[in-house]
Amino acid sequence: MSVMHAQTHDPAQLVVETASTRAQFNGLEADWRALEDASCGAVLFQSFDWCRNFLEHAREFGGVEMRVFAVREKGCATAILPLFILIRQLTLLNS
């Protein structure tokens, strides 16, 4: 079992970056992997490899947008939040 210790952060030192392109996503790989290595209890679905694989397959079917938020403190990544948005078109049926 991992033990988490509370840390205080100066909000003025935190910067949030948004990645919405494949190149920006791939640009987070080194930081993402460093966070994976430093995390206790990280699961497969949080990994860079799983998210990249999901993105590749989801884009084949279309209707998926990606947004990945990276939080940095003094230039160092402290958190990464990958979000994938499924876009669906509703079809109305006439009676």
Side-chain angles (χ1 to χ4, degrees):
M1 175 179 279
S2 63
V3 177
M4 298 195 60
H5 299 282
Q7 296 180 353
T8 57
H9 298 278
D10 178 6
Q13 298 292 322
L14 298 178
V15 175
V16 178
E17 299 172 356
T18 304
S20 58
T21 67
R22 186 174 300 194
Q24 291 169 334
F25 177 87
N26 289 332
L28 293 171
E29 182 174 4
D31 289 327
W32 200 321
R33 291 190 188 283
L35 286 173
E36 287 176 26
D37 292 342
S39 298
C40 296
V43 296
L44 171 68
F45 305 109
Q46 296 170 312
S47 72
F48 177 83
D49 290 328
W50 191 91
C51 290
R52 180 179 54 196
N53 209 8
F54 175 84
L55 179 61
E56 292 299 320
H57 290 289
R59 285 201 169 168
E60 288 178 20
F61 297 102
V64 174
E65 291 185 14
M66 170 195 64
R67 297 291 183 279
V68 180
F69 299 94
V71 179
R72 296 185 184 280
E73 184 175 27
K74 299 178 185 172
C76 183
T78 58
I80 293 179
L81 174 64
L83 299 174
F84 298 96
I85 304 162
L86 178 61
I87 309 296
R88 290 196 175 175
Q89 184 176 6
L90 296 176
T91 304
L92 299 176
L93 300 176
N94 292 329
S95 306

